Amino acid sequence: MQLSVIILNYNVRYFLELCVQSVQSALENIDAEIIVVDNNSSDDSCCVIKSRFPKVKLIQNSQNVGFPKGNNIGVAQAKGEYICILNPDTVVAEDTFEKVLNFVTSSAIQKNEMGIVGVKLIDGTGNFLPESKRGIPIPWVAFTKITGLYKLFPKSKYFNQFYAQHLSEDQTGKVEILVGAFMFLKKELYDEVGGFDEDCFMYSDDIDLSYMALQKGKTNYYFHETTVIHYKGESTIKDGTYMKRFQEAMAFFYKKHFNVSFLFSVFMKMGIVFFSVIKRIQGRAKTKSVSENFLLLSTSEALVKIIALLVQKKVNFLEWKSEKEVNLSSNSIKKGTQIIMDNEFFSFKECIKIHERFKNKGITFRIIPKNADFIIGSDSSNDRGEVVIIGKNYI
């Protein structure tokens, strides 16, 4: 088998369904498997996987064992030559895995050189997520991040290492650290480094795995030629528990990999507290804007009426098969519009392109997964997204 996709889930039932639907579509022409590991979710995540995706291998843990151990459990049962660690709050394009596989087997990567490959990640508003590519957070690099110097001098190699700004978001190249939302590597390498370190519950595990791959003499890559949506806010609620675990995670990484002085330890402790407080502030729920206009991209006129009843507003309709790109370009899409994409007639790759195309224009985005009875999306990478139930009458 060529590829195993490992998805660790905890209480994100609707985002998991969307994710698995997109992964299944992306694996149609690949000898691959999907393994969902559930960390004792209290919602009906497992029921959905069993009923909607019977070919998916489901592993149900009796407790929340955390990110590292949960993924290790999944990888232990993987049969693929390659594995992809994938967050449940992601959406991949139909050609994502084909493109990554072509890249890792191409002459661009020398034999035995490949470490971990990450891809271009965007949030639910279409904006690029800078953590898609990062540098090792050694003391100086951590300092530039904590103080914000990387923003002031984005082109200076002395200040721009935290987010690997030597590469643009649309440039493939070598990087040091990748994010756990999408990590593609050989299973052999994962086993060689011992997988995710289970002494770390979460938050520095992807940094640690990336760093261990480098220590084995491998090269990590950022690959920009496919884009994946990472809703991000779904996997983590940034509360007091988050702040505590984030501090513990950073302390874990430094203790494991660096011999540090007392002064540096004090400095980092102060920095970690400051940084985690900022994260917590960023994560506070903000007042959500209310969409004034709605545009449905579909071929189902019946769906227009259903959504109009839900939102209590007029819903404009773009018949996707016949009108498609031409009319989308000429259509006056105003600020405050919510674009709703029907995956029954609208590919995930097209959904992702629409997110990127209309980002930063005051537009919000929603997807109706194929054969699903809900509309889903997110207007912020720092808080929970939105799920609206359409009803069984639609499907």
Side-chain angles (χ1 to χ4, degrees):
M1 184 175 287
Q2 195 172 20
L3 174 63
S4 298
V5 179
I6 317 298
I7 304 170
L8 179 66
N9 176 69
Y10 181 66
N11 284 334
V12 286
R13 169 253 191 269
Y14 292 103
F15 284 88
L16 174 67
E17 183 173 344
L18 173 64
C19 174
V20 174
Q21 182 74 53
S22 73
V23 172
Q24 202 168 64
S25 298
L27 296 178
E28 284 187 0
N29 301 317
I30 301 172
D31 181 18
E33 64 180 349
I34 303 171
I35 299 174
V36 170
V37 182
D38 186 77
N39 263 348
N40 197 30
S41 295
S42 57
D43 59 16
D44 61 347
S45 294
C46 294
C47 293
V48 168
I49 295 299
K50 290 174 184 176
S51 61
R52 283 216 58 197
F53 308 102
K55 293 184 180 180
V56 169
K57 183 167 189 176
L58 175 64
I59 301 172
Q60 294 179 251
N61 292 329
S62 59
Q63 60 182 324
N64 184 357
V65 297
F67 183 89
K69 188 171 183 177
N71 277 296
N72 289 345
I73 288 170
V75 174
Q77 297 196 32
K79 298 176 182 176
E81 177 186 0
Y82 295 92
I83 61 169
C84 180
I85 305 297
L86 187 69
N87 265 35
D89 54 351
T90 56
V91 178
V92 302
E94 284 78 3
D95 59 357
T96 288
F97 295 116
E98 290 181 6
K99 282 189 172 183
V100 175
L101 281 166
N102 287 337
F103 173 68
V104 301
T105 56
S106 71
S107 57
I109 299 181
Q110 297 178 10
K111 189 176 180 181
N112 297 323
E113 183 192 36
M114 176 191 159
I116 304 173
V117 175
V119 297
K120 182 179 180 180
L121 299 173
I122 61 172
D123 64 16
T125 67
N127 284 295
F128 176 67
L129 291 172
E131 61 267 28
S132 300
K133 51 182 181 67
R134 292 173 289 175
I136 301 169
I138 57 175
W140 170 250
V141 174
F143 177 77
T144 63
K145 165 62 179 175
I146 291 168
T147 58
L149 287 170
Y150 74 98
K151 293 181 180 179
L152 298 176
F153 306 100
K155 295 184 178 181
S156 169
K157 66 179 181 179
Y158 298 107
F159 297 95
N160 67 7
Q161 296 173 56
F162 190 88
Y163 285 128
Q165 290 164 283
H166 66 286
L167 295 177
S168 74
E169 64 184 80
D170 295 319
Q171 184 180 5
T172 293
K174 297 178 180 180
V175 295
E176 293 169 326
I177 305 297
L178 297 159
V179 66
F182 188 109
M183 301 183 89
F184 191 101
L185 66 158
K186 282 192 172 183
K187 183 177 184 296
E188 181 183 18
L189 175 60
Y190 190 95
D191 293 337
E192 186 181 350
V193 300
F196 286 109
D197 192 324
E198 294 179 15
D199 288 335
C200 180
F201 192 84
M202 55 172 55
Y203 303 127
S204 70
D205 30 47
D206 49 4
I207 299 174
D208 183 59
L209 188 70
S210 300
Y211 189 71
M212 289 193 293
L214 297 177
Q215 288 184 312
K216 290 292 182 181
K218 306 298 183 180
T219 303
N220 298 331
Y221 289 89
Y222 166 73
F223 179 65
H224 84 280
E225 292 181 31
T226 186
T227 302
V228 170
I229 298 173
H230 180 206
Y231 290 108
K232 192 177 176 182
E234 289 310 302
S235 295
T236 306
I237 296 297
K238 296 181 173 55
D239 54 12
T241 301
Y242 166 87
M243 185 168 137
K244 180 176 182 294
R245 286 179 178 166
F246 183 82
Q247 292 179 51
E248 291 172 347
M250 291 305 295
F252 162 83
F253 179 73
Y254 282 102
K255 184 177 180 181
K256 179 176 178 178
H257 294 293
F258 297 99
N259 293 319
V260 296
S261 67
F262 173 75
L263 286 177
F264 173 72
S265 297
V266 172
F267 167 76
M268 279 311 302
K269 196 162 187 177
M270 292 170 60
I272 289 167
V273 171
F274 172 76
F275 189 47
S276 57
V277 167
I278 295 299
K279 282 279 187 180
R280 187 180 178 187
I281 292 171
Q282 289 175 339
R284 287 177 182 169
K286 298 178 177 66
T287 302
K288 293 185 178 181
S289 58
V290 178
S291 298
E292 297 297 327
N293 306 290
F294 294 85
L295 174 64
L296 174 65
L297 308 183
S298 178
T299 65
S300 172
E301 292 192 44
L303 186 56
V304 177
K305 297 177 182 178
I306 294 171
I307 295 175
L309 285 172
L310 286 171
V311 301
Q312 293 294 297
K313 289 182 181 178
K314 180 183 176 182
V315 176
N316 294 313
F317 178 56
L318 182 62
E319 208 287 334
W320 192 243
K321 277 189 177 178
S322 60
E323 301 183 43
K324 210 169 183 178
E325 189 68 25
V326 175
N327 277 5
L328 183 61
S329 299
S330 60
N331 215 325
S332 178
I333 301 180
K334 305 174 184 176
K335 184 177 180 180
T337 296
Q338 182 173 108
I339 300 177
I340 304 172
M341 295 157 276
D342 184 357
N343 177 233
E344 183 73 37
F345 312 101
F346 197 90
S347 73
F348 287 113
K349 186 173 182 177
E350 289 171 319
C351 290
I352 293 168
K353 283 184 176 179
I354 294 296
H355 279 71
E356 291 189 287
R357 179 174 173 180
F358 292 99
K359 66 182 179 182
N360 298 325
K361 294 184 178 180
I363 309 296
T364 57
F365 309 95
R366 296 292 184 270
I367 298 174
I368 305 174
K370 187 176 182 180
N371 297 323
D373 64 347
F374 59 90
I375 304 172
I376 193 167
S378 177
D379 303 336
S380 169
S381 59
N382 291 316
D383 57 23
R384 289 287 191 185
E386 181 183 67
V387 176
V388 176
I389 305 301
I390 302 173
K392 297 294 182 182
N393 292 333
Y394 166 62
I395 60 173

